[in-house]
């Protein structure tokens, strides 16, 4: 059991009587990319917000690397290594690309204000930040844009930068909120490759909540399909695409 | 507590004026997201118009009340067009601009009319004696006219096309503009109507108390408390807030003193902002 | 650290000024500029996290009343009273901060405005402690290392020292990681929190440091005037501090200093044109808001060729 | 013509905002005196003749502004003689400056703390309630025997408290009963709530004390409208024209007030004409006191033969008592109350408002 990274057990989230998520259980294993799909209103985003601590759970538990994180604040969860990216390109618009990534790395080390009393923290934070930024610029291919102001980048690049900032935090697991949203086809493919490389080259597990089936089936090892807050199926992409209930709920009826 | 009834009557009479001021304030905030610290100065300008036109030139008071309100309406629209347009949606910059406008208008009034308290001959004097209670006639007249203006405003907002457009913009400007509501028209209109309402209050209250360049500060403060009680941008909220403030203030000012009365009102404002920032009648 | 020398030299020049160059009255303005620089810097911190506090007039007042009362009634030495008063204000900020800082934008301004008014009205109402509307006359002069500072030059040095301390403090805050965190708080709080920053604690920390500086500025103001009256600590103090930052330029702490340098002497220089003083003050501000949103500092950096890093467009 | 030098006299007082009626009285008075002296070729002091120049700064009734105004006068304009301030809080903040810099100051402000045994350079240029209230209350007792109870209204500040304490003592000494003492914030205009409570106590007299004239008029009007038939009295800061304007002629009728001057005399009318040449009318009654003080000070400077040695001028200034003012003898006094003779004692009048005008009903001392 030690290779379970994220474990969701009998999770429920009700909004005034309506169960956005009802009694959901699943888990991710080390080295795996898990996709989460479902039609609008299936509870994908609610699930995402409950796991990241934005919304409190009504019932059930969420465990990360064996420790319960339900009810913790978003920054504490982030401190544990479960880092999220945003659906819309979320970057420090007025700062340079370099500074954006540097902050990703630095904020990882300082977290709480108590770092004032540990002088060493900032010093080695700065050292690692310098290396991390250089390496990530190289990894993501954003080196030539390093001095540009983030807000002036094209949307696709901004979204890429958002992911790179999260990587600068040296996450154990990356929780991606519709990485393909707002991207054109070529950018979606590039994003897909980036996600695969994140898992392969940097051994970071990924959970991505996504609509774009082409990307999900191409990139994910397993896919969890949701509908009305309940899990219809969790399986490898090939089987999910042909799973009758998933097709009904999501892909439209065209049984062969 | 034999004067309980008197306290209630005093409170209700001041409520109506507070509501008039608060409506203008909340309309401007609702539509422009601007906390209009210069709102009190609209009230002051109208009072000075009454002083100049009625006091010196001897025009008919009631005509002047309407004229000064309309003048303030135009002035408000011009202000929006000239100074506030670049700040729509940027609340903090808009607020700072409103403060700057307030200082400037006070200084202009000061240069033109000097520092002292001025008075205007009172169109209505005398008192109604209703049982133990004493109700000044002029305050009743002011209350009645304020009521008329409030009803007119309510009808305008509820039943006219522009009113509907304004309420749409209060909810969500972007969506409203998709449906053909043109903010370029609605914003100056909103600022104008807001200023006009304050103008009405100023002109009606001019003879009651004295007129001086800094007279706008107190009414603005009251409008500010009322709007927060009721909920920024909420019209029914402004009415409810006005009544609460009027009664509360009258109670404490009679039994203790005005300083404590103001402290209590501010205390409630702090509590509401902390626990229900959108106000009692949350939108 | 080459630029530190630049500041040390300027500081030395300023310190010597009153003895040779400045006529006595300008020394008085010098003292006021020093105090208002400290206060403008405290407001700069709040502007940086995007939460303008209108309670800073009351914080300044609490610093003044605290320091004066501790010297007059508990006859503590100046240094103890001065610091204790400022720390007291910071403690109050800590207590109310955790509640208030959850509120954002205009609602925060209105909340702190109401809170500030309640404090000022308490100064008026609680006559036995605060002396009512007349306030506390006869505030003892400060004394450092044993000798009393009564002369205007002494106050000038004290005020310059306070302003220098405040500038150094704010500058280091913005220089270090803390600066990056604080700036990110306002730029994009969700992103900052998602990177593991406990944004509530940092906002609270900034609010307390800002209140501490406001308390110190108030304490020195009280001792300098030898009189603490409630009307000096009302609603117009934070308004002026915001204006100083807007005109000086919010982007850098030097903006607050420039703002204080320009606005503090304005009423004195225009003294002869009594009524026109406020008119010019208002018009200058309107023009700055319309045409130079980044204030004078923004202008200088534009003139120096590189675009100011931050527009006020947030 | 002998080469003329300039003698600068400073004014720091409330020239705008609340209380500015009295600040402008000081400013106007010294400006009139200066014009007269300059018209006669200037003030001969020792072997030089001086043209008088008046520099006035506005403190807006605020302590902080008063300190910076006074500092500027003493240190920048090198002024040795200053008129003002009027506000009690402002005065307490500025007085240490006067004493330290040996600046002769003709001050206003009602607070008893203004003068004490070691006050050397500050002189109060107008009588306070300590001087005139007692005699007027006795006058009231004898002319209106049937009035028994008094309700006091005062502004909630240093001036208001001092006045409330003093008047309470005088009224009780003369056999009146104080039924209520109200302290009202300066910016309050709606007195209906507080009057509801006070009128229920059936006071015979409403004493307005040092409440500013405009506000006093509002209290008079609102009380009359609420059915108050009793007597209004104002033993503090005069300003009948503003009271009548705010209250209306008929409501203000019968108001008894301490009057600084008999406004019907030829001398007063002449002063009003001169005032109109230096400042915008209407002229406040206080101008009479400060006009006498201005002429007295200039004469003391002339006798002392020096514009710099303020100790010599001070000695002459105190020797000039009694001095014939435009309304009768004025002299220094106040030793028993303050421990020093720096309080001017002047004739005082009791005024009654008849159809909007103030008529003099009696003179005291």
């Amino acid at each position: 059991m030690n290779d379970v990274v994220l474990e969701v057990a009998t999770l429920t989230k009700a909004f005034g009587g309506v169960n956005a998520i009802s009694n959901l259980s699943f888990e991710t294993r080390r080295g795996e990319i898990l996709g989460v799909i479902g039609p609008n209103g299936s509870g994908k985003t609610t699930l995402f917000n409950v796991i990241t601590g934005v919304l409190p759970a009504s019932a059930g538990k969420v465990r990360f690397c064996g420790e319960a994180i339900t009810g913790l604040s978003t920054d504490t969860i982030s401190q544990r290594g479960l880092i999220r990216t945003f659906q819309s390109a979320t970057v420090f618009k007025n700062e340079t690309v370099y500074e954006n990534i540097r902050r990703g790395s630095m904020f990882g080390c300082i977290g709480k204000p108590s770092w004032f009393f540990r002088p060493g923290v900032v010093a080695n934070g700065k050292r690692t930040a310098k290396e991390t930024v250089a390496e990530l610029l190289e990894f993501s291919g954003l080196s030539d844009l390093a001095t540009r102001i983030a807000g002036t980048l094209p949307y696709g690049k901004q979204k890429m930068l958002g992911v790179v900032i999260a990587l600068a935090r040296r996450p154990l697991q990356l929780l991606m909120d519709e990485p393909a949203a707002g991207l054109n086809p070529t950018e979606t493919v590039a994003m897909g490759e980036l996600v695969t490389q994140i898992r392969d080259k940097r051994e970071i597990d990924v959970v991505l909540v996504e609509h774009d089936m082409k990307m999900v089936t191409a990139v994910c090892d397993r896919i969890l399909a949701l509908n009305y807050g309940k899990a219809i199926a969790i399986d490898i992409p090939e089987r999910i695409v042909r799973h009758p209930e998933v097709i009904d709920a999501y892909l439209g009826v065209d049984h062969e | 507590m034999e004067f309980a009834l008197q306290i209630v009557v005093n409170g209700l009479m001041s409520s109506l004026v507070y509501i008039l001021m608060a409506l203008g304030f909340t309309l401007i905030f609702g539509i422009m997201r601007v906390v209009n610290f210069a709102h009190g100065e609209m009230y002051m300008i109208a009072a000075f118009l009454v002083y100049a036109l009625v006091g010196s030139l001897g025009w008919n008071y009631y005509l002047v009340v309407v004229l000064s309100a309309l003048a303030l309406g135009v002035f408000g629209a011009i202000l929006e067009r000239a100074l506030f347009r670049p700040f729509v949606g940027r609340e903090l910059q808009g607020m700072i601009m409103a403060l700057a406008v307030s200082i400037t208008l006070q200084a202009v009034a000061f240069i033109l009319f000097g520092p002292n308290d001025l008075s205007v001959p009172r169109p209505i004097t005398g008192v109604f004696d209703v049982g133990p209670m004493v109700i000044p006639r002029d305050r009743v007249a002011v209350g009645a006219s304020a009521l008329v203006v409030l009803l007119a405003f309510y009808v305008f907002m509820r039943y006219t096309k522009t009113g509907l457009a304004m309420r749409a913009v209060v909810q969500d400007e972007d969506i409203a503009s998709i449906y053909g509501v043109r903010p370029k028209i609605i914003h100056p209109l909103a600022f104008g109507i807001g200023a006009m309402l304050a103008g009405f209050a100023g002109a009606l209250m001019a003879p009651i108390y004295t007129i001086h360049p800094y007279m706008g500060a107190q009414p603005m403060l009251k409008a500010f408390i009322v709007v927060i009680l009721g909920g920024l941008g909420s019209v029914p909220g402004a009415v409810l807030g006005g009544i609460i403030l009027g009664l509360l203030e009258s109670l404490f000012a009679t039994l203790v003193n005005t300083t404590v009365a103001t402290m209590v009102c501010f205390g409630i404002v702090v509590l509401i902002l902390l626990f229900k920032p959108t106000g009692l009648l949350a939108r | 650290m080459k630029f530190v020398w630049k500041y040390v030299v300027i500081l030395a020049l300023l310190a010597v000024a009153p003895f040779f160059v400045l006529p006595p009255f300008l020394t008085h303005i010098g003292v006021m500029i020093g105090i208002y620089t400290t206060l403008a810097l405290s407001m700069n911190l709040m502007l940086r996290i995007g939460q303008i506090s209108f309670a800073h007039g009351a914080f300044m007042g609490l610093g003044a009343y605290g320091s004066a009362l501790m010297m007059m009634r508990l006859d503590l030495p100046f240094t103890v009273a001065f610091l204790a008063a400022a720390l007291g204000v910071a403690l109050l900020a800590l207590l109310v901060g955790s509640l208030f800082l959850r509120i954002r934008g205009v609602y925060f301004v209105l909340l702190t405005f109401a809170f500030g008014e309640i404090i000022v009205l308490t100064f008026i109402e609680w006559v036995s402690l605060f002396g009512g509307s007349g306030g506390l006359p006869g505030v003892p002069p400060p004394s450092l290392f044993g000798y009393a500072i009564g002369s205007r030059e002494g106050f000038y040095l004290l005020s310059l020292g306070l302003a220098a301390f405040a500038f150094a403090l704010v500058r280091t805050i913005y220089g270090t990681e803390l600066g990056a965190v604080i700036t990110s708080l306002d730029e994009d709080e969700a992103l900052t929190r998602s990177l593991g920053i406990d944004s509530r604690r940092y906002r609270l920390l900034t609010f307390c440091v800002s209140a501490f500086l406001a308390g110190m500025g108030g304490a020195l103001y009280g001792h300098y005037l030898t009189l603490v009256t409630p009307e000096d600590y009302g609603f117009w103090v934070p308004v002026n501090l915001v204006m100083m930052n807007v005109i000086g330029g919010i982007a850098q702490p030097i903006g607050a200093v420039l703002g204080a340098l320009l606005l503090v002497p304005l009423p004195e220089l225009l003294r002869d044109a009594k009524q026109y003083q406020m008119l010019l003050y208002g018009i200058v501000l309107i023009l700055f808001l319309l045409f130079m949103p980044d204030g004078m500092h923004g202008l200088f950096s534009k003139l120096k060729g590189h675009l100011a890093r931050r527009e006020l467009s947030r | 013509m002998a080469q003329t030098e300039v003698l600068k006299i400073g004014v720091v007082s409330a020239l705008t905002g609340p209380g500015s009626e009295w600040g402008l009285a000081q400013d106007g008075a010294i400006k009139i005196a200066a014009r007269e002296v300059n018209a006669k070729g200037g003030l001969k002091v020792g072997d030089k003749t001086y043209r008088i120049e008046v520099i006035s700064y506005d403190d807006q009734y605020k302590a902080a502004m008063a300190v910076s105004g006074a500092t500027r006068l003493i240190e920048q304009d090198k002024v040795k003689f200053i008129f003002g301030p009027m506000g009690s809080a402002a005065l307490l903040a500025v007085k240490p400056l006067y004493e330290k810099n040996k600046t002769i100051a003709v001050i206003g402000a009602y607070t008893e703390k203004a003068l004490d045994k070691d006050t050397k350079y500050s002189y109060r240029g107008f009588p306070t309630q300590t001087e005139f209230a007692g005699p007027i209350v006795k006058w009231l007792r004898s002319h209106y025997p049937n009035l028994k109870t008094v309700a006091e209204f005062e502004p909630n500040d240093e001036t208001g408290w001092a006045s409330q304490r003093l008047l309470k003592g005088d009224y009780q000494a003369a056999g009146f009963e104080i039924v209520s003492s109200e302290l009202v914030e300066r910016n309050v205009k709606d007195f209906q709530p507080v009057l509801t409570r006070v009128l229920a106590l059936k006071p015979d007299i409403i004493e307005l004390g040092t409440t500013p004239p405009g506000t006093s008029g509002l209290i008079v009007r609102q009380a009359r409208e609420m059915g108050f038939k009793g007597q209004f009295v104002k033993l503090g800061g005069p300003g009948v024209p503003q009271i009548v304007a705010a209250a209306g002629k008929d409501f203000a009728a019968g108001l008894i007030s301490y009057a600084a001057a008999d406004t019907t005399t030829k001398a007063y009318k002449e002063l009003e004409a001169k005032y109109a040449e230096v400042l915008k009318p209407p002229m406040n009654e206080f101008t009479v006191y400060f006009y006498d003080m201005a002429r007295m000070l200039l004469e003391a400077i002339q006798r002392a033969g020096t514009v710099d040695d303020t100790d010599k001028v001070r000695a002459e200034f105190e020797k000039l008592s009694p001095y014939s003012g435009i309304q009768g003898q004025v002299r220094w006094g106040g030793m028993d109350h303050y421990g020093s003779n720096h309080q001017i004692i002047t004739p005082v009048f009791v005024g009654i408002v008849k159809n909007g005008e103030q008529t003099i009903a009696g003179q005291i001392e």
Side-chain angles (χ1 to χ4, degrees), chain D residues 287-309:
Chain D
T287 317
V288 171
Y289 290 131
F290 290 103
Y291 176 61
D292 288 346
M293 292 306 298
R295 285 188 301 124
M296 209 169 150
L297 178 64
L298 293 177
E299 197 173 324
I301 295 172
Q302 192 158 41
R303 287 187 177 203
T306 161
V307 288
D308 304 313
D309 181 346

Side-chain angles (χ1 to χ4, degrees), chain A residues 59-168:
Chain A
K61 273 266 177 296
V62 178
R63 268 188 282 279
F64 180 66
C65 304
E67 284 160 26
I69 57 167
T70 21
L72 294 180
S73 64
T74 53
D75 44 275
T76 324
I77 294 173
S78 161
Q79 284 292 329
R80 296 279 174 84
L82 177 58
I83 308 297
R84 60 161 303 161
T85 62
F86 294 84
Q87 181 179 347
S88 57
T90 315
V91 291
F92 295 118
K93 295 189 190 51
N94 296 325
E95 307 295 339
T96 63
V97 168
Y98 185 92
E99 175 62 10
N100 269 271
I101 303 172
R102 191 191 73 81
R103 283 187 186 178
S105 168
M106 270 312 289
F107 290 178
C109 334
I110 48 179
K112 302 264 181 297
S114 47
W115 59 270
F116 304 132
F117 315 113
R118 290 173 282 135
V121 168
V122 179
N124 68 52
K126 281 210 162 69
R127 249 193 335 282
T128 47
K130 220 189 236 45
E131 297 142 16
T132 324
V133 176
E135 188 262 332
L136 274 173
L137 280 174
E138 182 45 33
F139 169 77
S140 60
L142 291 172
S143 324
D144 49 10
L145 300 171
T147 54
R148 283 275 300 278
I149 298 286
T152 59
L153 298 180
Y155 190 76
K157 284 279 185 265
Q158 280 191 38
K159 195 124 195 222
M160 185 78 76
L161 177 59
V163 174
V164 173
I165 295 173
L167 292 178

Side-chain angles (χ1 to χ4, degrees), chain B:
Chain B
M1 277 293 278
E2 66 290 354
F3 32 75
L5 221 52
Q6 181 73 49
I7 290 178
V8 169
V9 164
N10 296 350
L12 286 179
M13 276 191 295
S14 33
S15 307
L16 285 167
V17 177
Y18 293 157
I19 292 171
L20 211 52
M21 282 296 283
L23 272 184
F25 195 91
T26 209
L27 187 65
I28 291 177
F29 181 79
I31 289 182
M32 306 268 299
R33 308 301 297 168
V34 165
V35 176
N36 184 10
F37 276 103
H39 200 58
E41 274 56 55
M42 306 296 149
Y43 176 94
M44 176 264 289
I45 292 173
F48 271 112
L49 278 176
V50 167
Y51 172 76
L53 300 180
V54 175
S56 329
L57 304 181
W59 291 11
N60 166 307
Y61 170 70
Y62 302 101
L63 177 66
V64 168
V65 168
V66 174
L67 273 180
S68 52
L70 292 175
L72 260 307
V74 170
F75 182 63
I78 294 168
L79 264 186
E80 191 283 330
R81 190 72 200 76
L83 299 177
F84 286 94
R85 177 134 300 177
F87 302 109
V88 170
R90 285 175 26 220
E91 293 171 356
L92 295 185
Q93 283 74 20
M95 188 184 69
I96 298 170
M97 172 54 86
L99 285 166
V101 167
S102 156
I103 295 172
T104 316
L105 291 178
Q106 282 176 10
V108 168
F110 180 85
I111 293 166
L112 295 179
F113 294 96
N116 297 335
D117 287 7
L118 308 169
S119 301
V120 172
R122 295 169 56 245
I124 310 164
T125 52
V127 178
F128 293 115
D129 282 308
V130 177
M133 284 193 306
V134 158
I135 309 170
R137 284 207 185 85
D138 55 6
R139 294 297 296 270
V140 171
V142 166
S145 349
L147 210 57
V148 166
V149 170
L150 291 180
L151 288 177
F153 178 76
Y154 177 76
V155 164
F156 168 76
M157 287 297 273
R158 172 69 70 210
Y159 299 106
T160 64
K161 215 154 46 61
T162 350
L164 186 64
M166 278 196 182
R167 274 185 292 121
V169 169
V170 170
Q171 249 106 36
D172 190 325
E173 178 159 326
D174 309 332
I175 294 175
S177 46
I178 291 168
Y179 289 102
V181 168
R182 297 214 306 285
K184 288 275 180 297
I185 306 285
I186 294 297
H187 286 164
L189 201 60
F191 220 97
I193 291 179
M196 188 178 72
L197 290 174
F200 254 117
L204 289 173
M205 290 302 284
I208 308 279
Y209 299 133
T210 56
I211 303 164
H212 56 91
Y214 308 109
M215 69 188 289
Q218 276 300 327
M220 192 274 292
L221 209 57
K222 298 284 165 36
F224 158 69
I225 293 175
V226 165
V227 160
I228 291 181
L229 287 179
L232 269 175
S234 145
V235 172
V239 175
L240 176 68
I243 293 170
I244 294 174
L245 177 66
L247 293 177
L248 250 174
E249 198 174 55
S250 172
L251 181 69
F252 278 91
T254 313
L255 299 185
V256 190
N257 67 37
T258 43
T259 316
V260 170
T262 323
M263 278 171 81
V264 167
C265 298
F266 275 125
I268 295 172
V269 163
V270 168
L271 292 178
I272 285 198
L273 280 173
L274 278 178
F275 302 110
K276 203 166 187 319
T278 48
L280 296 177
L281 296 180
R283 245 191 359 273

Side-chain angles (χ1 to χ4, degrees), chain C residues 23-26 28 32 124-125 127 131-135 137-138 150 152 221 224-227 229 231-232 268-272 274-275 277-278, chain D residues 15-16 56-69 71-73 75-76 78 89-90 92-93 96-97 100 113 156-158 161 185:
Chain C
F25 181 69
L26 286 189
H28 162 70
M32 297 306 268
I124 293 171
E125 198 55 31
V127 178
S133 318
R152 198 168 308 292
Y221 184 77
Y224 178 58
L225 275 189
T226 73
L227 176 81
T229 57
E231 65 197 26
D232 288 343
E268 302 296 336
L269 298 181
L270 293 167
R271 199 165 254 297
D272 315 327
K274 284 185 283 300
Q275 314 89 325
Q277 187 175 313
M278 289 311 281
Chain D
L15 306 177
T16 62
S56 33
Y57 294 136
D58 175 20
D59 71 11
Q60 295 173 11
Y61 220 76
K62 289 197 172 68
M65 304 276 283
V67 167
S68 75
T71 313
R72 182 165 183 153
L73 283 172
E75 294 181 353
Q76 175 123 348
K78 297 280 182 279
L92 294 176
L97 279 175
K100 192 159 67 81
K113 299 186 192 130
N156 184 11
D157 61 18
E158 183 76 34
W161 303 338
E185 276 313 302

